[in-house]
Amino acid sequence: MTKFNDTILKAFRGEETDYTPVWYMRQAGRSQKEYRELKKKYSLFEITHQPELCAYVTRLPVEMYNVDAAVLYKDIMSPLPAIGVDVDIQSGIGPVIDNPIASLRDIEKLGTIDPESDVPYVLDTIRLLTKEQLYVPLIGFSGAPFTLASYMIEGGPSKNYHKTKALMYSDSKAWFALMEKLADMTITYVKAQVNAGAQAIQIFDSWVGALNVTDYRTYIKPVMNRIFSELRETNVPLIIFGVGASHLMKEWNDLPVDVIGLDWRMSITEARELDITKALQGNLDPAFLLADWEVVEEKAKQIIDEGKAHPSHVFNLGHGVTPEISPDRLKKLTTFIHEYSKK
């Protein structure tokens, strides 16, 4: 029987490890041949509704790449239908919502989530993986209120978040009601994931970098403080991540999180120079994985060396795996990270 590998949990908690552990955002699916074959038959939501199939997709990169954690295969939109949001993941577009939020009245109509009855397939997938199939920790996740709200208000992906910001600036009562509603959902949903067996949690605030520091402090930080404070009760490592959010590093360092995920816009050294004290995760630009191996290796060395200069680093990409990235390249990179970082 394969021994359970808890290296990444030690790194998340700031403990010393024998090597730099690694996982990749969106490692489940995207570029894998086996996953692409499945997607010819099933949509994302159809896969996530079948625990055996979802568990297979989740564990596939662990077996294929030898990464140090699995990340649950699902979407940040997964819990929204339970509270009354009509969402569809459309190929080439992303999440599309037919009933966007426009007023306090719309927000008051939103319901609450009961994970055991509303998303039992998510919890069953977690139980299947953690009790029977994995020898590495499983990372569960949820979207953060701002990022979820941006889809709910815009009706889908946005480049400028004008409608979202307009509601935030013009109707603070509605905005904070929405933040609290989504915080309630996130806390309940995440706690259920941990109770089912998830051993770490990442909160994706993917698009919050669209806000400046002052607006973040005013409109977002209080609800994030509440979410992470309540999730501390789960006693699992908590990670925060967003894209284009380097200017919010000090704000995130204040939150009761264990790990800050960096995209590629700020180096590990630059983050430490800002007195960021949390464990850091990241931060290879996924585009590097399309370059010659010598280029990938040189950049990976730099990131590993910067991470080893300070305690607590988990190697990851600065954003998710893209469909063009070769699974062989990810396997080669994982092997290199493990071997190069060994103490």
Side-chain angles (χ1 to χ4, degrees), residues 92 96 155 216:
V96 175
Y216 184 84

Side-chain angles (χ1 to χ4, degrees), residues 80 83-87 96-102 106 110 151-153 155:
L80 291 184
I83 65 170
V85 179
D86 185 8
V87 59
V96 175
I97 291 170
D98 288 336
N99 55 338
I101 296 289
D106 295 332
L110 295 172
Y151 288 106
M152 293 167 66
I153 296 166

Side-chain angles (χ1 to χ4, degrees), residues 11-291:
F12 284 154
R13 292 190 171 113
E15 299 170 18
E16 194 167 321
T17 57
D18 294 333
Y19 62 89
T20 299
V22 54
W23 71 282
Y24 306 113
M25 286 180 280
R26 292 182 181 154
Q27 66 187 18
R30 298 307 283 267
S31 67
Q32 293 164 320
K33 180 182 68 175
E34 296 86 346
Y35 172 75
R36 289 182 174 181
E37 288 300 313
L38 279 176
K39 285 287 283 179
K40 291 176 183 177
K41 301 178 186 176
Y42 306 105
S43 69
L44 183 148
F45 279 171
E46 286 171 339
I47 293 173
T48 59
H49 280 63
Q50 300 179 63
E52 290 279 359
L53 196 56
C54 191
Y56 167 72
V57 174
T58 299
R59 75 171 192 271
L60 192 61
V62 177
E63 297 166 357
M64 189 177 282
Y65 309 143
N66 196 33
V67 286
D68 297 284
V71 59
L72 188 61
Y73 176 78
K74 62 185 179 69
D75 192 86
I76 61 170
M77 299 288 114
S78 294
L80 291 184
I83 65 170
V85 179
D86 185 8
V87 59
D88 182 37
I89 309 292
Q90 295 188 6
S91 180
I93 299 174
V96 175
I97 291 170
D98 288 336
N99 55 338
I101 296 289
S103 67
L104 181 60
R105 183 176 296 177
D106 295 332
I107 295 161
E108 289 170 342
K109 290 178 183 174
L110 295 172
T112 57
I113 190 170
D114 177 357
E116 288 289 352
S117 60
D118 291 326
V119 287
Y121 43 87
V122 172
L123 306 183
D124 287 344
T125 303
I126 293 171
R127 294 183 187 111
L128 195 59
L129 285 161
T130 56
K131 290 179 180 176
E132 299 178 25
Q133 299 183 0
L134 288 176
Y135 56 88
V136 295
L138 176 68
I139 299 170
F141 68 87
S142 178
F146 176 84
T147 293
L148 294 174
S150 74
Y151 288 106
M152 293 167 66
I153 296 166
E154 306 285 341
S158 174
K159 292 183 178 178
N160 49 45
Y161 308 98
H162 285 169
K163 290 180 184 177
T164 307
K165 290 182 179 181
L167 181 69
M168 187 176 77
Y169 293 139
S170 63
D171 192 343
S172 60
K173 184 178 180 182
W175 178 260
F176 286 114
L178 181 57
M179 291 296 98
E180 291 306 315
K181 177 72 72 170
L182 291 173
D184 291 343
M185 183 198 76
T186 301
I187 292 164
T188 302
Y189 182 49
V190 166
K191 284 186 175 180
Q193 290 182 51
V194 174
N195 289 338
Q199 289 126 311
I201 292 292
Q202 177 153 305
I203 302 294
F204 284 88
D205 213 347
S206 304
W207 313 133
V208 79
L211 299 183
N212 63 42
V213 172
T214 301
D215 287 345
Y216 184 84
R217 284 179 190 154
T218 304
Y219 297 105
I220 308 300
K221 196 172 184 181
V223 77
M224 297 306 291
N225 236 321
R226 182 195 155 204
I227 288 170
F228 285 117
S229 294
E230 294 198 31
L231 293 182
R232 285 251 67 92
E233 300 169 9
T234 63
N235 201 32
V236 301
L238 303 174
I239 311 160
I240 187 169
F241 173 76
V243 183
S246 299
H247 58 295
L248 301 177
M249 287 301 108
K250 286 196 169 186
E251 304 305 313
W252 286 0
N253 198 54
D254 289 343
L255 296 173
V257 300
D258 300 285
V259 187
I260 293 175
L262 297 175
D263 72 4
W264 60 89
R265 294 168 179 85
M266 174 178 281
S267 71
I268 293 167
T269 298
E270 288 169 331
R272 292 303 186 198
E273 287 172 349
L274 291 175
D275 296 324
I276 303 302
T277 55
K278 310 290 185 179
L280 292 177
Q281 177 179 277
N283 64 339
L284 182 70
D285 185 338
F288 268 101
L289 292 171
L290 303 175

